Amino acid sequence: METAQTADMTRHWVGYPHRPGNQQTLNVKFNDDDAGPVGLTSRVALWQYSPGASTAGPQKRPRILLIHGFRGDHHGMQLIVDALPEFEVFVPDLPGFGKTSPLVDAQGSRVEHTVARYAGFVGALAQQLDLNEHDVLMGHSFGTIVTAAHTAQNPQAWAKLVLTAPISNHIFRGRLLAGAAVVELYYTISRLLPESAGNAFLRSRTVLKITNLTMRAERDPRVTEYVRDQHAQHFGGYSDRQTLLEAYAASSRHTVLDYAADLQLPVLLLPGSGDQLSTEAGRRALRDALPQGKLEVIRGAGHLVHYEKPAQIARAIRRWVS
């Protein structure tokens, strides 16, 4: 929840006032080869942000569909939305996170949440919103994998693709392995514990504090407090343990590089210079693997670049889509 106090606090580094969204609830359905002819369904919470009257101009701007990262929801994208007041932006909660229900089959039974199914969800949602080849798709962190997987199958569906904090490295290799092993152990223990204890461990404030310390680069105390507040409110907002663990497996076993060769459209990569989940070599390799890729590094930011440098991200997007 965005309070007046936190909204005013963010003006210090965002430079734009808080932008309220219009919440909608949609029933999204899409076909899935393993789910039978009826396919899969999710009841989706979506926020639509209309452009401000003062930003209206003669040119028709593309609309933006923005997909959040693992364990987040639409709140995590708020500062980027604030910094793009002239654009119409749509931000859903992904299935199993925030206020969006997990994916279910025709019998109402939950199904495994894979990258392919999240990608199918994005495509179905975009179609329902009547977004098209003139519009822009954007993903953050795990959302970069999901949007890349979707776009690799539908490269003509979008004008451009923007990826903030892109997952460019396989985390179980090289210098990222040690940190990834600790995270893997955390989720393994969470799965082995009884349901209530597992959820308590997954929502542990101690783990949350460690995450906040290790995932950011910005040291401004106001940014630090905002990140702490947002994670405290929304980090535990998943629907159930099984869906969360499946989403973790999807996020940790894939990278954007898996889909890069098939991304036949302009792609903008916006990693933080100190991103803890990627390496400089990995980011360059991803850029080089993209047929139409551009890499613009956001200085002074880590993997939480969406909190730390939203105004810089917005400026890069504005230049990219204009």
Side-chain angles (χ1 to χ4, degrees):
M1 181 177 65
E2 191 83 27
T3 65
Q5 181 179 4
T6 57
D8 184 65
M9 179 200 309
T10 62
R11 290 198 193 192
H12 167 68
W13 72 95
V14 179
Y16 292 88
H18 173 68
R19 187 178 174 190
N22 175 38
Q23 182 181 348
Q24 305 174 27
T25 302
L26 307 173
N27 288 315
V28 172
K29 299 181 180 180
F30 62 97
N31 294 328
D32 181 88
D33 292 341
D34 297 325
V38 177
L40 303 178
T41 305
S42 177
R43 189 168 176 81
V44 180
L46 173 88
W47 280 258
Q48 177 183 11
Y49 301 84
S50 299
S54 62
T55 65
Q59 65 189 54
K60 180 175 174 58
R61 297 184 178 92
R63 297 165 293 176
I64 300 174
L65 176 61
L66 210 171
I67 305 300
H68 66 75
F70 176 62
R71 294 201 70 161
D73 60 20
H74 73 282
H75 291 94
M77 302 294 96
Q78 182 66 52
L79 300 187
I80 295 176
V81 171
D82 290 348
L84 291 169
E86 72 270 38
F87 291 91
E88 183 176 19
V89 184
F90 300 90
V91 189
D93 288 345
L94 283 174
F97 295 93
K99 295 183 178 181
T100 296
S101 67
L103 298 169
V104 296
D105 60 19
Q107 288 72 46
S109 300
R110 68 170 304 282
V111 298
E112 183 181 1
H113 286 60
T114 63
V115 170
R117 284 174 171 161
Y118 277 119
F121 163 83
V122 169
L125 177 61
Q127 186 174 27
Q128 194 157 333
L129 294 172
D130 198 29
L131 298 172
N132 56 48
E133 69 276 9
H134 302 294
D135 298 316
V136 173
L137 180 61
M138 179 176 171
H140 172 75
S141 189
F142 175 47
T144 68
I145 300 173
V146 172
T147 55
H150 158 69
T151 311
Q153 297 296 319
N154 305 275
Q156 304 305 315
W158 302 94
K160 295 183 178 182
L161 176 64
V162 178
L163 304 178
T164 63
I167 305 300
S168 56
N169 292 70
H170 288 281
I171 60 174
F172 295 104
R173 303 175 189 171
R175 72 169 181 82
L176 300 179
L177 174 59
V182 173
V183 175
E184 182 78 5
L185 178 62
Y186 169 65
Y187 283 104
T188 298
I189 294 172
S190 301
R191 183 178 64 251
L192 295 174
L193 288 171
E195 184 82 17
S196 59
N199 280 314
F201 190 42
L202 287 167
R203 295 184 170 113
S204 165
R205 291 300 179 95
T206 300
V207 172
L208 182 58
K209 289 179 181 178
I210 295 172
T211 300
N212 289 342
L213 288 172
T214 58
M215 295 298 287
R216 64 184 175 84
E218 175 62 61
R219 298 304 176 187
D220 185 315
R222 284 165 287 197
V223 179
T224 299
E225 177 59 22
Y226 182 79
V227 172
R228 185 205 64 76
D229 174 72
Q230 291 297 293
H231 280 174
Q233 290 190 62
H234 310 301
F235 194 69
Y238 58 89
S239 61
D240 63 277
R241 178 173 65 168
Q242 186 60 28
T243 299
L244 177 66
L245 293 173
E246 289 168 358
Y248 164 69
S251 69
S252 60
R253 267 63 180 177
H254 297 273
T255 73
V256 177
L257 195 60
D258 299 341
Y259 311 98
D262 295 319
L263 297 177
Q264 299 292 330
L265 79 170
V267 181
L268 176 63
L269 305 175
L270 295 173
S273 59
D275 192 320
Q276 298 84 355
L277 298 185
S278 70
T279 65
E280 185 177 350
R283 297 190 287 265
R284 288 198 307 267
L286 175 57
R287 177 201 59 197
D288 294 344
L290 293 165
Q292 302 178 62
K294 178 182 178 183
L295 173 64
E296 186 170 335
V297 177
I298 306 298
R299 300 296 172 188
H303 193 69
L304 303 183
V305 62
H306 58 312
Y307 289 137
E308 297 174 311
K309 303 292 182 181
Q312 289 87 330
I313 288 175
R315 286 197 293 270
I317 293 170
R318 195 172 285 114
R319 291 191 299 268
W320 181 245
V321 303
S322 63

